[in-house]
Amino acid sequence: MKVTPPPHTSSPSSGDRRSCPLWPRRQTCWKRLEEQVRKFALHEGEIMVVTGPVLPKEKSITIGNNKVTVPDRYYKVVYDLTPPQKMIGFIIPNNGSTRPLQDFAVTVDAVEKETGLNFFSLVPRQEQDRLESTITLDAWSW
């Protein structure tokens, strides 16, 4: 039986400037989100963060000899464990944006739908359903 490895993904970094000429614009939006999540952590006290690529349904943009797929979007999910618990998700485009981060805020359910992943599956089902299906922007420290 032949085993096919999972698709490769690439996240641009400062060393990827040749293959990703728009990196400075992309970095700005993601950098703002990273800084915001640090503020969440300081304000809330205890959070869990999950980050990754949102892979295209069909391989599109690739780089390098190994044809590494470059995602067109990335996600970040934040779970505030301090009472009252809450969750928020973000789906950020890989082409950069100057829009406010709140414009990219989505429910964790929306991130799960886009990625096919199930986050925080160890949280009791009823609580997981409640937390993952709603976001209240005002409840977070912007």
Side-chain angles (χ1 to χ4, degrees), residues 30-48:
W30 192 258
K31 181 180 177 187
R32 285 187 293 130
L33 179 58
E34 290 289 317
E35 290 168 353
Q36 186 60 58
V37 170
R38 284 185 193 93
K39 287 180 188 176
F40 290 163
L42 290 172
H43 185 264
E44 304 302 341
E46 186 177 9
I47 65 171
M48 293 177 68

Side-chain angles (χ1 to χ4, degrees), residues 6-123:
H8 296 284
T9 63
S10 175
S11 298
S13 68
S14 58
D16 289 328
R17 291 183 195 276
R18 291 178 318 221
S19 60
C20 189
L22 299 177
W23 173 245
R25 277 197 332 204
R26 291 179 178 155
Q27 181 187 31
T28 303
C29 189
W30 192 258
K31 181 180 177 187
R32 285 187 293 130
L33 179 58
E34 290 289 317
E35 290 168 353
Q36 186 60 58
V37 170
R38 284 185 193 93
K39 287 180 188 176
F40 290 163
L42 290 172
H43 185 264
E44 304 302 341
E46 186 177 9
I47 65 171
M48 293 177 68
V49 180
V50 182
T51 302
V54 179
L55 298 174
K57 300 290 184 225
E58 303 215 4
K59 209 177 218 186
S60 53
I61 301 172
T62 60
I63 60 173
N65 294 335
N66 293 330
K67 303 291 185 199
V68 177
T69 301
V70 178
D72 56 353
R73 298 174 296 157
Y74 292 89
Y75 70 84
K76 189 172 288 288
V77 172
V78 182
Y79 179 11
D80 173 16
L81 297 165
T82 55
Q85 294 183 354
K86 59 189 175 286
M87 292 183 185
I88 190 169
F90 296 89
I91 297 179
I92 302 286
N94 194 17
N95 62 358
S97 177
T98 57
R99 292 172 33 207
L101 292 174
Q102 291 90 331
D103 288 357
F104 301 104
V106 297
T107 64
V108 173
D109 279 343
V111 178
E112 289 180 335
K113 183 177 179 184
E114 289 292 315
T115 63
L117 300 172
N118 180 18
F119 302 105
F120 313 116
S121 60
L122 297 179
V123 174

